[in-house]
Amino acid sequence: MDIARTPATPDGNPEMADAAVEPHAPALIRRKDYAPYPWTVVATHLDFDLGLDKTRVEAKLTLERNPAAEPSPTIRLNGEGLAPLEVRCDGEPSNSHTMDGDDLIVTLPGDAHELTIVTELDPAGNSQLMGLFASNGMLCTQCEAEGFRRITFFPDRPDVLSVYTVRMRAPKAQFPVLLANGNCTAEGEEGEHHWAEWHDPWPKPSYLFALVAGDLVARSDSFTTMGGREVALNIFVRDGDLDRTEHAMESLKRAMAWDEQIFGREYDLDIYNIVAVSDFNMGAMENKGLNVFNTKYVLADIDTATDGDFDAVEGVIAHEYFHNWSGNRVTCRDWFQLSLKEGFTVLRDQLFSQDMGSAPVKRIGDVRVLRSVQFPEDSGPLAHPIRPDSYQEISNFYTSTIYNKGAEVIRMMRTMAGEEAFRKGSDLYFERHDGEAATCEDFVKAIEDGAGLDLGQFRLWYSQAGTPKVTVKLSHEGETATLTLSQEVPPTPGQPDKQPMPIPLKIALFDRTSGTHRGEQLVVLNGASETLTFEGFEAPPVLSVNRGFSAPVRIERDIPRDDLTFLAAKDDDPFARYEAMQDLVVGHLGDVIGGGLDTEDRDVGREAIRTALAAVLADGRIDDQMRGELMMLPSETYLMEQALVADPGAIHAERETLKAWLGQELGEELVGLHQRASEGPGTLDAAAQGARKIKTLALTYLAAADQQRASDMAAAQYDGATTMTDRQGALMVLAGLETAERTAKLLDFYNRYRGNDLVIDKWFALQASSLHPQALAHVKALREHEDFTLRNPNRARSLYMAFAGNPQAFYAASGEGYRLIADLILELDPINSQTAARFVPALGRWRRIEPGRAALMRGELERIAGASQLSRDTFEQVSRSLG
């Protein structure tokens, strides 16, 4: 399942009122308490009589006692908001069943039984979008993590695998397309109704169950696997959207071929279906053979999708396809092992995207996400290991730590093993655990055995939370360079004391005269500190460290400004060059905000940044995509993370002051860059994408220096745009300006794309995330817009998540921004609790913010906590954030 490119639970149905519960501490579920389920579900037959307002479900479970578990005279079947209409055991009405809360308990005296349960659902009333729900006249499901229990009573846990057969009956005119997991084995008509039967031969957990019924059209294609299997490929969308599915289909075929070549994984069914849904909490879901996607990650054409959107579609399509093995064929034993499937699959989709485009640019982008989302998570009240020890609500653990840090941990194993040995380890993992529910330990053991590594100490990465800080010191005497590395893993909630963890660092020592080095080396810091010596350096070398971001750590180095300027201009590792540029700015702004610089020192710092940026603008050795990465200033969120206690107002002011100065000093170079980039074609090749990237970045600097000049240039770029990237980039700049063109172009954009939900989402987000001084007031006004609704997660996020990520507006000194988000959480929680809960971390960072703002943020959390009714999702997030 993909969330990072966002996620929630069902309802609106009075019978499914989980959002309307008194706040209390939900039961704590502990990893150490895991026990095998006492029954196996050999086969599951589901019969659906489908309707928007009423759907009848008959589930027939073939049960056998599990010899690996403690025997039990009863079976506990999870439910949520359900009432059993019928319960039959071995064909006879059951008189030995009871309800325990939401769960159904049935007494089963023998060793094998057939249990039949009938339930009734109201999909149209399910605003939580978990279980079976309606979206624009279509029916679809979302069952991860615990949504299947909203459909029927079942052992809704990932280690209970079953073979599913599904029969659906529905009005043909209303639901002409009927889809489920696996292969279609039969279909027919009954008057105005029709039916279809689907069978999935591969045992799977209930969270991978999927069903879709609706009036849909398909882009169809095929793929021949390396074993000769002809696979039918279909992408189902609403009528009118078919023209925007070509990129998704081509991405799917590339992913299938890549996974065979790089990981040796072949697809295992005769059909692979994708369905695009506009009301969806997640990015997408990897249900076996029937992926359900948010439309955001399927629909793309050059007029309505940016270059970033095209990349996201390709990445998410690949991510869900790769889950067929890393998640479906080998699933997780329990939800504590979530990173087993998600961390590994994120790494796989990252490597795929690196191979499909620019590897350095992709790597920098992945690190930027890690630092902007996961690092703050690791340093706050919601910090947790990638394999948690306990949870209250599992939906709250679909986090950047599980996904992005989980991927980095596996990437470190790959770095230490080497690509070939890592492939041996992954092959061994799939071979050992195919068809099983496995653990993180199973994966590490397979890599250890297959690659010949000792990963005993490395396992600490799975159990310890927090981002390690590595202090780097380089000294020189005679012809010897001495490198001293030390590490510290900071305390996190529940883990005050940490042990050193293996940290693989790629390094290079540059000769400052020739600008070259003797080769990259991999050093592994295993203990609290380590000292290494390097001979043959007559002059002090320049150290390039954590090249390629070989470890997800914070590097603290006392490096001269001249050395950073050297690396920013000459380092041959793209990430290290980017990092030097970032460090130049972070160090300078940190000194300015700290008040430790006089005017002369400030000017020296600025000049170093100007020199480095000028070199980037003029460097003919790099392509424009990489140039764009090097041009980006560190985000305000990242700058706040560098401070023990951050002043968001000061950070915003000083960052904008520096940007304006650079825009003034390099104005002609930036205008020239914009003009040169404007000559590029409106195509999707790398050169054209790079040109569009630097074009808008040049405008952002110019806008800070001269609003009217930038407004005129942005308006001309908007009017001449042949791609959404250029048009949105220009509008992004205009949205932050106080010029007449701002209003005119925002109105034109809305009228041009009115009716296209995904593009109107962009229109909301651009205004909510803008640098305009009245951005907060604009968000309040947009809340009343006729096109705004809280019931569509994409629309809610487009306005409010964009606002929560806008530091200058969200951190308004008055506290209005915090109040706005708190009001949203309280309003959204009864409608869609998972989506509501995901807004809480923005307020939960109060401990890292200066006292005045921190008190206001904490006050809003306390107001939420004091509400009379809160969902489990939001309650856990708020209580943990308050600490």
Side-chain angles (χ1 to χ4, degrees), residues 79 81 181 518:
N181 307 92
R518 302 172 186 175

Side-chain angles (χ1 to χ4, degrees), residues 516-582:
T516 62
H517 60 80
R518 302 172 186 175
E520 185 177 83
Q521 301 179 55
L522 176 66
V523 299
V524 181
L525 173 61
N526 286 302
S529 63
E530 189 168 341
T531 299
L532 303 96
T533 58
F534 305 88
E535 302 294 335
F537 289 95
E538 295 181 1
V542 180
L543 174 66
S544 173
V545 65
N546 206 21
R547 293 161 65 84
F549 200 71
S550 55
V553 299
R554 302 177 192 271
I555 297 291
E556 188 171 286
R557 52 181 175 174
D558 184 14
I559 181 171
R561 184 184 291 129
D562 288 348
D563 285 7
L564 283 177
T565 305
F566 173 96
L567 293 170
K570 298 183 178 181
D571 203 318
D572 60 341
D573 179 82
F575 175 80
R577 186 175 183 184
Y578 163 84
E579 187 78 324
M581 287 290 296
Q582 297 287 293

Side-chain angles (χ1 to χ4, degrees), residues 463-474:
S463 59
Q464 293 189 160
T467 303
K469 181 180 73 174
V470 176
T471 301
V472 179
K473 294 181 180 179
L474 182 68

Side-chain angles (χ1 to χ4, degrees), residues 258-324:
W258 184 90
D259 206 22
E260 291 184 345
Q261 178 185 357
I262 303 302
F263 280 92
R265 299 300 104 193
E266 182 178 1
Y267 188 61
D268 53 4
L269 290 169
D270 298 328
I271 191 166
Y272 189 91
N273 289 326
I274 290 174
V275 180
V277 180
S278 57
D279 298 293
F280 203 61
N281 287 324
M282 290 67 173
M285 181 61 211
E286 71 268 18
N287 316 297
K288 184 72 177 178
L290 177 56
N291 291 183
V292 180
F293 270 64
N294 191 315
T295 51
K296 180 180 175 66
Y297 299 110
V298 171
L299 306 180
D301 63 23
I302 200 84
D303 183 56
T304 61
T306 65
D307 296 336
D309 292 332
F310 276 95
D311 290 344
V313 168
E314 181 177 67
V316 177
I317 290 280
H319 180 97
E320 305 310 331
Y321 174 74
F322 297 154
H323 264 313
N324 187 61

Side-chain angles (χ1 to χ4, degrees), residues 56 333 373 453 543 762 857:
R56 184 181 184 276
R333 186 194 72 179
V373 183
L453 289 177
L543 174 66
K762 298 176 186 294
M857 296 170 76

